[in-house]
Amino acid sequence: MSDPTPWSAAVDRTAQHLTDLCDQLKDAPVHDRLHSLATLNAAFADLHHCAQREAVAAARSEGWTLRRIAAVLSCSHEHIRLLAP
């Protein structure tokens, strides 16, 4: 296996930070825990949607097919068609 790139290492670190945060939230009062999880979900959903649209546009500009993009993202090509410019 090849060495991780700086961006893939950053993704791995961020994923681990989120896992650690969720573990820490288990000790929070229920209201705070639910509110924090809702905040995280909204922030991640917005960020993920924007980043995914940008990545799909970049892949399309490099000539990737909808099915190829969908295979990498583990979704349907119809979903990608809706995201593609």
Side-chain angles (χ1 to χ4, degrees), residues 12-68:
D12 291 342
R13 281 191 310 275
T14 300
Q16 185 59 54
H17 288 304
L18 288 172
T19 299
D20 294 345
L21 177 60
C22 286
D23 286 343
Q24 293 170 14
L25 283 173
K26 289 177 184 173
D27 296 329
V30 174
H31 179 270
D32 293 343
R33 184 177 180 184
L34 292 171
H35 179 72
S36 296
L37 290 171
T39 301
L40 279 173
N41 186 55
F44 182 76
D46 289 344
L47 174 64
H48 182 265
H49 183 72
C50 290
Q52 189 175 47
R53 287 181 74 87
E54 290 172 2
V56 167
R60 292 295 289 156
S61 72
E62 289 184 13
W64 284 42
T65 65
L66 297 179
R67 290 184 191 275
R68 181 179 177 194

Side-chain angles (χ1 to χ4, degrees), residues 52 56 65-84:
Q52 189 175 47
V56 167
T65 65
L66 297 179
R67 290 184 191 275
R68 181 179 177 194
I69 297 167
V72 173
L73 292 176
S74 299
C75 63
S76 74
H77 71 280
E78 288 299 320
H79 178 78
I80 300 304
R81 185 182 60 77
L82 296 173
L83 292 175

